[in-house]
Amino acid sequence: MCLGIPGKIIDIYEQAGLRMGRVDFGGVIKEACLAYVPEAQVGDYTIVHVGFALNIIDEAEAHRTLELFNQIGLLDEELGDGALEPDGTNK
Amino acid sequence: MKHLTEYRDAARVREVLDEIHRLTTRPWRLMEVCGGQTHSIIRHGIDQLLPDGVEMIHGPGCPVCVTPQELIDQAIAIASLPDTILVSFGDMLRVPGSRGDLFQVKAGGGDVRVVYSPLECLKIAQENPDKEVVFFGVGFETTAPANAMAVFQARQLGIPNFSILVSHVRVPPALNVLLSAPEVYVQGFLLAGHVCAVMGYWEYEPLAARYRVPMVVTGFEPLDLVHGIRMAIRQLEEGRAEVENAYARAVTREGNRPAQQLLATVFEECDRNWRGIGLIPSSGWRLRPEFAAYDAAQRFAVEHINTQESPLCRAGDVLKGVLRPNECPAFGTLCTPRKPLGAPMVSSEGACAAYYNFGRVEAPKQPGS
């Protein structure tokens, strides 16, 4: 129930006094309530749970996290042959 | 798909797993709090790729599972009333009550409907002015803002035939109880990412300090999960016990302020009974007196129901992480998703359902056996 998936806000409008929008989840478009993300703009990515946008995905943080993983990968490459094999990686 | 594909990249997941193997020097027991994380871990077999001795314990974060039997029986009783439409999220329908479930009410002619968003209930209420529309609103902090908004909007729009049977629960008081229970042995926690997206993670800082356990805010994709596990193990190996954020693209320390404001407008804290765990002080939310007109428990004076739970179901031990689903004697034989004894076997976040659906039928061999 606490799952939520990221989608891209494609438009924003008002309905019954609530800020609503349509969100594109990789081709599947659903309506979501945007009342809790007043800063949201068209083009932003948001995580939607039971029809409500919970947040706006922080692109800079997303980039930083992925960079971190890239660094882990780089380290792997650099240490390459010299590094000890971890035990039981793919048991 | 952006913000999804890159967190399912097998090569990156393998690199982080390699890093976990490099930094782990001894056994550790970690609990993932959220049932959605349990399903992701079991589905992708992440627990089986960890170093020997690093164990993932499954937490109580399945709202349907911790909802007490009385409330399920109450929903079934309301759904059986004439001129009433009971609306719910899908996985509540097959949770066994003392006598039958909501599906059986529907099969018997009751009007039981499933929605994606609680706001849809308001539309159903407006389209059926001669019926009572009751939303069965359970959930953790993630779902509460949606349910709060449905109630708030019902008042704003003056919809008299809508009410909510509400039972919200909050994670921090439950973790406090688990951490002080002698039978629960967990050394680090992966905190539920979307609960924290709403509430932030400042509430966990006193818990991490008091019990000396690392807590890491964690997302749901494979890469998010291994990243959270890596940060928790690194803290343990370094002897630290802090709250860290492995899901920074979605979660801030303060959480979602507008959502918290509406929660405070509509709900107030209350004690809640958790199935399998018992009464936890201040662990839930109920409607504030100003919104009592929308409280289904008050609108429908359902007679006292004698609740009965299966004596064979050990949901409580599973929810506390004391028993693995496939160690339960009823698992996969007397209890299956088609014929469940308890909620963890039917909920999309239940640990028993995860083990059954992803083929973890055999209990692990005990050392020496």
Side-chain angles (χ1 to χ4, degrees), chain B residues 58 104 114 132 230 282 345 360:
Chain B
H58 316 307
Q104 285 166 339
V114 170
E132 284 288 333
R230 182 180 75 99
S282 305
M345 188 52 104
R360 298 286 181 88

Side-chain angles (χ1 to χ4, degrees), chain A residues 18-76:
Chain A
L18 277 184
R19 196 160 184 256
M20 306 290 289
R22 286 189 306 149
V23 181
D24 180 354
F25 302 97
V28 178
I29 293 167
K30 295 203 89 154
E31 185 173 61
C33 179
L34 304 180
Y36 296 131
V37 285
E39 75 277 26
Q41 293 182 357
V42 169
D44 284 346
Y45 279 79
T46 174
I47 288 175
V48 176
H49 172 69
V50 295
F52 282 72
L54 296 183
N55 56 9
I56 297 301
I57 292 181
D58 186 326
E59 297 284 345
E61 286 292 353
H63 185 71
R64 203 174 315 175
T65 306
L66 291 173
E67 274 299 301
L68 177 82
F69 296 133
N70 288 343
Q71 280 166 17
I72 293 172
L74 272 181
L75 195 69
D76 214 5

